[in-house]
Amino acid sequence: MCGIVGYIGQRPAAAYLIEGLKRLEYRGYDSAGVASIVSGKLRIVRSIGKVAALETKLGGRALSRMGIAHTRWATHGKPSVRNAHPHADCHTKVAVVHNGIIENYQELRISLEQRGHRFRSETDTEVIAHLIEEEMKTAPFEQAFTYALKALRGAYGIVAISSDDPTKLLAARKSSPLVIGIGRGEMFIASDVSAIVGDVKRIVYLDDGEVATVSQGGYDVRTLNHRKREKDEVELERDWMVAERDGYQHFMLKEIFEQPKSFTDAMRGRLLVREGRVRLGGLRAVETRLRRIKRIVIVSCGTSYHAGLVGEYLLEGVAGIPTEVEMASEFRYRKPIIDRKTLVVAISQSGETADTLAAIREAKSQGALTIGIVNVVGSAISRETDAGVYCHAGPEVSVASTKAFTSQLAILSLLAVYLGQGRGLAPKLATKIVKALAAIPKQMEEVLQEAKSIKVLAKRYAQQDHYLYLGRKYNFPTALEGALKIKEIAYVPAQGYPTGEMKHGPIALIDASVLSVMLVPRDSVYEKNFSGLEEILARGGKVVAIATAGDLAIKKKATDTIFIPKTIEMFAPILSVIPLQLFAYFVAVERGYDIDQPRNLAKSVTVE
Ligand code: AGP
């Protein structure tokens, strides 16, 4: 979504701000801008399109040694220069960048207009600059900033500067992330650690309701009521800053190929193969409560929701605990019935998804125990849940999630065994599961070796008008995930469906123009799937089958077949999703689209 970068220090700010914005490009945006105070006057430069366009527009014009910058993803008002951030007040003394949504901006705007303020944009953000200006009639910048915040309803990560006081960046957070980077004689502020450039070793995460004053020599964090907050400084993990493509054409392809490693990292120190057990240090603090839970509710969105659906099978099948999965965006408004014996599991790559965060807050307010399965360390969900297990997948840059999905499945598998251990999971079965998990990274390598033949298939089927993805039991969520991947990067209508439901309606769609991608591994529903495949072929449909290595019966029947290695039934989705990721990727390349930043999408959805 939108991105924020701020700098104050001893060096010219422009290079840091532009570099920071470039590092946020992967989040998706439509316009960008910078503001600085040069010779006592506010200077704002904005442009639509890529950060490179802003850089060109900025040209040689110098900024001072402080400034703020922003990449915008439109929410109020179309992408345009005048709607791009930073926004200023009437007299161009205050500039503001903002992530999130101000819910009461219309009423604020009307009342400010009645007091003579002139607005230049259609955005909700501009009211913040005018509110600060209004308050500055009677208070200094810092105080006026806090007063203005008190009038806002909604979600925000805000950074503001004023020509009245060029020695400070003021920042505030409510439901939209901000992090302060501490350098030597220079300070940064950003919505994402990856945007913090320069020699920064320590960072501070702002929490909701906090206001920070950042100056060249340090920072001061307070509540809205001016109470001082002591903040923990944490070491900045360099990994997150150096996400490069390593020779791959796109981050998505690189991340697909990283899966053997990311899967291994997810299991590292947690899978005790010789003992046939699982250890999850992140859950130690809530062990006693975990023993008492009677029910699990998983909340998540998009790809993470699909991982949750696989998790439902795993947790019920292995740990024997009744489990439900719900899209977080629905859960939060449903008045869910949960109690102290309910475990609510939030799954999120970014850890910042607004709906998932809201679902966790709702669950906590009803007394549930909450845990997070999160990739981004220190993110809001990881901080707000009672405990959690990090995915350790490393930075996922491509908007289309791939390696995070398989890492989430790794953690859910570990969690199922971990919870099962205390609830009578037979040691023999536990050992079988643990061994099968340990074998997955090598098997992933084998699937990845199929990339060339999947590319050939993708070329053959790239111009289809419609794709159907079909699977059953553990592989139904994989079908949903395959369809989501091709929708989001290749912009082709695609539907994921349970194979067994075809005859209840969707089979009417089948003709030569529809390609069905069918997940038919050798498992407990193999025969049923086989008949489903025959029914589609009998109606003139084409089928690409994802089958278990050596299954000649499927190979003979299906139009095309991709083999995956044999594993136990519950882990087939971890392998079968990889051909679907590759297929979507190659179809999108064939169609010539922007793979890593697909249209209309953002990497992390921090607004409702
Ligand atoms: C996946 O390819 C999507 N870009 C999207 O569905 C994503 O999984 C969803 O927005 C949830 O994000 P999260 O895992 O960061 O919470």
Side-chain angles (χ1 to χ4, degrees):
M1 212 121 298
C2 308
I4 289 176
V5 193
Y7 173 84
I8 186 158
Q10 304 153 330
R11 290 180 254 204
Y16 284 133
L17 296 176
I18 294 293
E19 175 58 23
L21 289 186
K22 283 184 177 167
R23 290 186 181 205
L24 292 176
E25 284 192 299
Y26 72 90
R27 294 164 65 98
Y29 67 104
D30 48 55
S31 49
V34 291
S36 178
I37 294 156
V38 183
S39 312
K41 287 209 166 110
L42 196 60
R43 173 175 291 170
I44 298 179
V45 181
R46 302 178 293 185
S47 76
I48 51 167
K50 299 281 176 195
V51 175
L54 174 70
E55 202 176 0
T56 311
K57 199 164 174 184
L58 200 56
R61 271 185 291 173
L63 300 181
S64 66
R65 290 164 204 274
M66 60 90 76
I68 53 177
H70 191 262
T71 44
R72 172 176 188 254
W73 191 77
T75 57
H76 296 76
K78 60 179 188 322
S80 65
V81 172
R82 77 193 172 98
N83 285 335
H85 300 210
H87 289 287
D89 60 326
C90 301
H91 298 97
T92 323
K93 286 189 145 205
V94 175
V96 168
V97 288
H98 161 230
N99 288 356
I101 290 175
I102 304 302
E103 285 164 9
N104 58 338
Y105 85 101
Q106 265 165 327
E107 53 196 82
L108 289 172
R109 181 168 174 149
I110 293 168
S111 104
L112 284 159
E113 279 172 341
Q114 281 164 355
R115 276 178 276 168
H117 289 260
R118 285 168 290 108
F119 281 75
R120 304 182 186 97
S121 77
E122 303 154 90
T123 65
D124 52 338
T125 301
E126 195 182 341
V127 296
I128 306 168
H130 291 275
L131 273 175
I132 299 172
E133 177 183 39
E134 186 64 23
E135 298 292 351
M136 279 176 79
K137 286 179 183 165
T138 53
F141 178 41
E142 235 173 305
Q143 229 171 54
F145 182 67
T146 310
Y147 291 157
L149 293 175
K150 288 185 177 172
L152 303 178
R153 263 204 331 264
Y156 55 75
I158 301 171
V159 185
I161 55 175
S162 166
S163 55
D164 272 9
D165 189 352
T167 64
K168 291 184 180 96
L169 310 179
L170 299 185
R173 174 197 159 126
K174 188 179 166 210
S175 305
S176 190
L178 278 180
V179 58
I180 299 170
I182 306 160
R184 260 196 232 141
E186 57 187 358
M187 301 289 289
F188 296 80
I189 185 141
S191 52
D192 186 320
V193 282
S194 63
I196 293 179
V197 288
D199 187 21
V200 169
K201 298 214 166 41
R202 301 191 71 72
I203 52 173
V204 170
Y205 289 102
L206 281 191
D207 284 309
D208 278 356
E210 289 181 341
V211 185
T213 303
V214 180
S215 51
Q216 189 188 323
Y219 65 93
D220 177 59
V221 178
R222 296 188 179 257
T223 63
L224 278 179
N225 294 326
H226 209 62
R227 219 167 298 138
K228 184 149 174 76
R229 280 277 171 93
E230 292 308 331
K231 299 293 292 178
D232 289 336
E233 292 182 5
V234 293
E235 216 166 292
L236 175 58
E237 284 187 35
R238 287 282 151 188
D239 258 20
W240 291 88
M241 297 174 54
V242 289
E244 299 295 347
R245 287 207 307 267
D246 290 347
Y248 286 94
Q249 204 188 341
H250 300 101
F251 277 111
M252 181 177 177
L253 191 62
K254 178 191 171 217
E255 287 158 7
I256 292 173
F257 272 85
E258 272 173 357
Q259 288 177 105
K261 179 179 181 299
S262 50
F263 198 88
T264 308
D265 289 344
M267 295 190 298
R268 205 179 293 287
R270 295 164 170 168
L271 194 68
L272 311 178
V273 184
R274 251 189 275 147
E275 296 163 46
R277 287 180 63 78
V278 163
R279 177 174 57 201
L280 294 175
L283 300 185
R284 206 168 298 138
V286 294
E287 237 167 29
T288 320
R289 272 193 82 184
L290 275 176
R291 253 180 255 129
R292 295 194 197 121
I293 58 145
K294 294 265 180 274
R295 178 175 160 240
I296 299 175
V297 178
I298 300 177
V299 288
S300 44
C301 303
T303 290
S304 300
Y305 168 71
H306 299 152
L309 291 174
V310 180
E312 180 178 18
Y313 282 104
L314 288 166
L315 290 161
E316 291 193 338
V318 178
I321 307 172
T323 303
E324 299 144 51
V325 192
E326 188 151 350
M327 289 172 182
S329 52
E330 289 297 312
F331 177 89
R332 61 187 295 189
Y333 292 118
R334 200 172 48 83
K335 286 209 186 326
I337 298 166
I338 39 188
D339 58 22
R340 287 187 60 77
K341 294 212 171 139
T342 308
L343 169 67
V344 176
V345 182
I347 307 178
S348 175
Q349 187 286 128
S350 61
E352 300 289 350
T353 300
D355 287 321
T356 311
L357 194 55
I360 277 295
R361 288 175 180 163
E362 171 67 30
K364 278 180 93 171
S365 74
Q366 295 197 35
L369 172 65
T370 59
I371 65 169
I373 296 179
V374 169
N375 191 35
V376 178
V377 175
S379 55
I381 293 173
S382 74
R383 284 180 286 131
E384 293 204 20
T385 39
D386 297 305
V389 188
Y390 281 121
C391 294
H392 296 320
E396 190 180 67
V397 175
S398 173
V399 167
S401 184
T402 54
K403 63 175 180 173
F405 178 71
T406 45
S407 295
Q408 289 163 347
L409 295 187
I411 306 297
L412 286 161
S413 310
L414 294 173
L415 182 66
V417 177
Y418 176 84
L419 293 175
Q421 281 165 184
R423 289 162 198 264
L425 171 64
K428 214 168 150 194
L429 179 56
T431 305
K432 186 175 165 192
I433 296 173
V434 162
K435 280 196 177 147
L437 267 178
I440 295 282
K442 176 114 201 320
Q443 295 180 316
M444 285 176 148
E445 301 275 9
E446 289 171 41
V447 183
L448 290 167
Q449 278 166 22
E450 297 298 312
K452 271 199 188 133
S453 39
I454 296 170
K455 187 175 179 179
V456 173
L457 279 188
K459 265 195 170 174
R460 188 174 309 154
Y461 294 116
Q463 303 312 327
Q464 291 289 139
D465 295 333
H466 188 186
Y467 298 89
L468 256 181
Y469 284 76
L470 303 169
R472 199 159 185 174
K473 208 174 168 186
Y474 280 99
N475 277 295
F476 163 52
T478 327
L480 293 177
E481 177 58 9
L484 176 64
K485 285 286 91 80
I486 206 151
K487 275 186 274 206
E488 63 180 339
I489 59 166
Y491 317 146
V492 195
Q495 226 174 335
Y497 226 76
T499 316
E501 279 289 300
M502 282 298 283
K503 53 187 166 302
H504 299 292
I507 201 159
L509 285 171
I510 300 297
D511 63 20
S513 73
V514 178
L515 177 72
S516 300
V517 180
M518 295 193 72
L519 297 142
V520 281
R522 281 260 177 203
D523 59 12
S524 61
V525 286
Y526 175 74
E527 274 84 19
K528 316 249 175 236
N529 272 330
F530 201 100
S531 342
L533 186 146
E534 285 186 308
E535 281 163 20
I536 289 175
L537 292 170
R539 283 156 184 82
K542 290 170 289 193
V543 174
V544 170
I546 315 293
T548 304
D551 191 338
L552 298 179
I554 293 276
K555 193 170 166 59
K556 245 192 246 162
K557 278 273 166 203
T559 323
D560 290 287
T561 305
I562 302 166
F563 285 128
I564 55 167
K566 187 167 176 44
T567 177
I568 57 175
E569 177 170 27
M570 65 183 79
F571 296 144
I574 305 173
L575 299 176
S576 64
V577 76
I578 297 175
L580 307 190
Q581 296 167 343
L582 285 165
F583 184 72
Y585 171 78
F586 288 123
V587 167
V589 169
E590 200 57 34
R591 287 178 167 242
Y593 294 129
D594 187 347
I595 308 285
D596 289 329
Q597 288 168 40
R599 70 184 182 201
N600 306 339
L601 292 178
K603 182 62 182 164
S604 81
V605 186
T606 51
V607 289
E608 226 187 297

